[in-house]
Amino acid sequence: PSEGEFTLEFSTVEPPANDECSGALVIQSNETTVTGSLANATGTVGFNTSCEYMSGLPGVWFSMIGTGDVYSISTCSSEMSIDAALSVSTGSCDDQTCVTTAAYNDYECRGGSFSAAKVVFRTEVGVQYFIQVQSLSFSSEVDFVLHVSTVAVPVNDVCADAISIPVGTESVSGTITNATAPPPFSSSCYNFYDAPDVWYTLIGTGDAYSVSTCSDVLDFDAALSVYRGSCNNQECITTGSYNAGTCGSSPFSAAQVQFRTEAGDEYFIAV
C-alpha cells in the first residue's frame, strides 16, 4: 500500500558480553560443554568476515587456541529453541580467514523441532580460532549449549591421504563420520562448500568409469566430485548429486558420475 501509519518503539538493550568478536569468550581446551545466550545479540552486517552463515542475523562469539587436535562443536541439546548456525575462522577480528561454516547438518540430533549445527575442523597448535553462533530463526531471545569434543577423522579425510582404488574394484565401503569440510569456495567442483568429505584416488586406464553412492547402507544425501592432477593443483572433471534416482531401500539421495579417463593419469574422487 502507498498509504498507512505506524509507530516506531525505541528502547536501549544490553547485548551479551561476547556480542562482538573483540569480546569473544574463551573456550578452554578441557571444556566439553559451553553455555551461551543470544538475548539482545546484534547482527554483523558489514563486518569483516566471509564466514558467517547468513549476514545480519544475531550472533555471539567464542574463541579457542588450537591444540593440534580435530574438534567437533555442535549446538545439539534438548533445550534448543532455534535453528542454529556455526562458523569457524582464524586470523584476527579485523582480518578473518574462514575455516568452515555449517547449519542444518547435525543429523544425529533428534527429538526436537529445531535444526542443530555441527562443525568439525582441524586445529594447529597455538593458532587462535573464532567461533560464531548465529540464530537462523530471526530470534535472539534464547539460550544455547555448545558441545565440544576432540574426534578421530577418517583416514582419507584429506586429499593427501586419499585411499587408492585398484583397477578392477567393483565396490568400496567408506564413512564420512567426523570428516572435516574443505575451506569455503576452495574449489569450483564442490557441490556444497560446507559439506564434509573423504577422498579416493584411481589411475586412469583409458576407459570411461561410472561411480555411484547407491546402496542400501547409504544414510546421508551424497555428492561426488572428480578431479585430475594433484592435490595442490586440481582440475575439476565432473560433479554430481541428487541424480542417481531411486536407490535400493535407502531413503537418502545418491550421487552418480560418469567420466572418461586417460591411461596413466591420476584421478581424485571426493565423496
Side-chain angles (χ1 to χ4, degrees), residues 107-154:
Y107 304 114
E108 297 177 353
C109 188
R110 299 181 176 91
S113 57
F114 295 90
S115 295
K118 179 181 179 180
V119 289
V120 180
F121 59 101
R122 296 173 179 270
T123 67
E124 296 182 21
V125 176
V127 173
Q128 186 175 31
Y129 293 83
F130 297 99
I131 299 100
Q132 186 185 33
V133 183
Q134 285 186 294
S135 166
L136 300 181
S137 302
F138 294 91
S139 170
S140 62
E141 299 300 321
V142 67
D143 296 334
F144 61 86
V145 177
L146 296 180
H147 293 281
V148 183
S149 62
T150 58
V151 295
V153 299

Side-chain angles (χ1 to χ4, degrees), residues 15-82:
N18 57 338
D19 181 59
E20 296 182 308
C21 176
S22 58
L25 300 180
V26 178
I27 300 174
Q28 302 296 336
S29 59
N30 60 346
E31 288 188 274
T32 59
T33 302
V34 178
T35 59
S37 175
L38 284 158
N40 297 323
T42 61
T44 54
V45 172
F47 191 73
N48 179 26
T49 173
S50 61
C51 210
E52 61 184 357
Y53 192 84
M54 188 177 296
S55 177
L57 293 182
V60 291
W61 293 84
F62 298 86
S63 69
M64 61 186 298
I65 301 300
T67 60
D69 296 307
V70 178
Y71 279 85
S72 169
I73 299 179
S74 171
T75 63
C76 181
S77 75
S78 58
E79 296 81 19
M80 187 171 60
S81 59
I82 57 167

Side-chain angles (χ1 to χ4, degrees), residues 73-264:
I73 299 179
S74 171
T75 63
C76 181
S77 75
S78 58
E79 296 81 19
M80 187 171 60
S81 59
I82 57 167
D83 294 330
L86 288 169
S87 302
V88 181
S89 56
T90 57
S92 65
C93 287
D94 294 327
D95 186 16
Q96 296 185 2
T97 299
C98 189
V99 174
T100 189
T101 182
Y104 305 108
N105 70 329
D106 193 345
Y107 304 114
E108 297 177 353
C109 188
R110 299 181 176 91
S113 57
F114 295 90
S115 295
K118 179 181 179 180
V119 289
V120 180
F121 59 101
R122 296 173 179 270
T123 67
E124 296 182 21
V125 176
V127 173
Q128 186 175 31
Y129 293 83
F130 297 99
I131 299 100
Q132 186 185 33
V133 183
Q134 285 186 294
S135 166
L136 300 181
S137 302
F138 294 91
S139 170
S140 62
E141 299 300 321
V142 67
D143 296 334
F144 61 86
V145 177
L146 296 180
H147 293 281
V148 183
S149 62
T150 58
V151 295
V153 299
V155 295
N156 55 338
D157 181 57
V158 295
C159 177
D161 295 324
I163 294 175
S164 177
I165 301 175
V167 173
T169 299
E170 294 186 353
S171 66
V172 174
S173 298
T175 179
I176 61 165
T177 300
N178 293 327
T180 60
F185 312 113
S186 59
S187 170
S188 61
C189 215
Y190 286 120
N191 277 271
F192 305 100
Y193 66 82
D194 58 350
D197 58 14
V198 291
W199 291 84
Y200 297 87
T201 181
L202 62 83
I203 302 301
T205 59
D207 298 307
Y209 281 86
S210 174
V211 180
S212 171
T213 63
C214 181
S215 76
D216 292 337
V217 302
L218 183 68
D219 59 0
F220 63 96
D221 295 330
L224 288 168
S225 300
V226 181
Y227 306 82
R228 181 172 59 185
S230 66
C231 289
N232 296 325
N233 186 22
Q234 295 178 344
E235 172 193 356
C236 183
I237 301 298
T238 188
T239 184
S241 62
Y242 300 100
N243 64 340
T246 303
C247 184
S249 62
S250 173
F252 295 91
S253 296
Q256 185 174 11
V257 291
Q258 290 88 23
F259 59 102
R260 296 177 180 273
T261 67
E262 295 186 15

